[in-house]
Amino acid sequence: MEGIIFYWFMWIAWIYTTFIMEKNHHRDKLSVLILLTIFSSKGAVTIDHYQLSFPFLLMMMFSYYLTVKQKKTNIILFYFSSTTITFAYAGIMLFSIYDPVWFIIDYRLIVSLIVSIIAIFLGKSNVQRYALFIMSTCHGEFLYWLVMSKFHNGISIGNPAFLDMVVIGCFSIYIWSMFHQFIIFFEHNVQKLQKLQKTAKEKQG
């Protein structure tokens, strides 16, 4: 059932930001944004023959906010990275229609994992990775349906399947960041232990 992954992950994210995350104004803003996204999931605005869902618009505005808030960002590099991920998303989505036999498992999982991995390698920080991923998937979704509008009427941009892919991708980036922090913590403790062993040997010598 498309959309169920979105609701599960968003409610888990809201519980985390509300009860577990460190209390600050960033946490409050994020909690409100998550609730707004959940409650507006059934709403949409129609522009011409395109129907844009409210969560799609909220996510796109949030990605722009994250981008603007980054002070030490190479704008040109960020632009090319975003464009790369945008075309990657739209290209994979179109390929899934042209040759679906390659998508042995759910296409939502394949698309979100591939795009999130690209965002992880192109982003310089976790915030930039989230901004790149969310912005590029929104742009890619619009580009994909812009192409599909030549063959379909009543286009719905930001449908439940898209929302599933966004939350899966964001969760993948979060898991990678946790793993990266664990590796850094482990290396730090190994180096610390090696220094203690070296100091102990020098004292014995």
Side-chain angles (χ1 to χ4, degrees):
M1 181 180 175
E2 293 182 344
I4 191 67
I5 299 175
F6 165 76
Y7 287 113
W8 272 104
F9 276 86
M10 290 298 282
W11 278 119
I12 292 172
W14 181 79
I15 292 172
Y16 174 78
T17 56
T18 304
F19 300 106
I20 301 175
M21 191 174 176
E22 182 182 352
K23 294 182 178 180
N24 51 50
H25 66 283
H26 295 297
R27 184 202 72 162
D28 298 334
K29 291 179 181 178
L30 191 56
S31 298
V32 172
L33 176 66
I34 292 171
L35 279 179
L36 283 175
T37 306
I38 294 172
F39 293 145
S40 66
S41 59
K42 298 298 182 181
V45 58
T46 302
I47 302 176
D48 197 8
H49 60 284
Y50 294 99
Q51 190 179 57
L52 286 75
S53 70
F54 285 142
F56 172 84
L57 296 173
L58 285 172
M59 288 177 179
M60 190 159 59
M61 288 188 291
F62 177 63
S63 66
Y64 292 159
Y65 171 78
L66 291 179
T67 302
V68 171
K69 292 294 287 184
Q70 296 179 77
K71 298 179 180 178
K72 298 179 180 179
T73 302
N74 188 323
I75 299 299
I76 297 176
L77 181 61
F78 187 89
Y79 170 78
F80 279 110
S81 298
S82 176
T83 304
T84 299
I85 301 173
T86 296
F87 281 103
Y89 175 90
I92 298 170
M93 290 293 292
L94 290 171
F95 185 74
S96 69
I97 295 176
Y98 175 75
D99 198 358
V101 71
W102 288 96
F103 292 77
I104 302 173
I105 59 176
D106 195 325
Y107 77 96
R108 292 174 297 175
L109 184 62
I110 296 175
V111 174
S112 57
L113 287 178
I114 292 176
V115 176
S116 62
I117 289 171
I118 299 174
I120 287 170
F121 281 101
L122 293 181
K124 303 301 181 183
S125 65
N126 285 332
V127 175
Q128 191 176 100
R129 293 182 185 106
Y130 285 118
L132 270 175
F133 175 77
I134 299 172
M135 179 190 297
S136 302
T137 50
C138 288
H139 291 172
E141 175 78 351
F142 186 81
L143 178 61
Y144 166 71
W145 284 113
L146 187 65
V147 175
M148 294 301 294
S149 65
K150 300 180 183 297
F151 312 99
H152 297 276
N153 293 321
I155 299 300
S156 178
I157 301 175
N159 55 35
F162 165 79
L163 300 178
D164 286 344
M165 288 186 282
V166 172
V167 295
I168 292 172
C170 288
F171 182 71
S172 301
I173 295 173
Y174 175 77
I175 292 297
W176 185 88
S177 65
M178 291 295 101
F179 177 74
H180 183 65
Q181 289 181 14
F182 172 77
I183 293 298
I184 294 175
F185 175 79
F186 180 76
E187 289 179 348
H188 175 74
N189 281 275
V190 169
Q191 292 174 358
K192 189 175 181 180
L193 181 61
Q194 289 176 343
K195 288 180 181 179
L196 289 174
Q197 290 176 344
K198 185 178 180 180
T199 304
K201 288 180 180 179
E202 289 176 350
K203 288 182 179 180
Q204 290 177 358

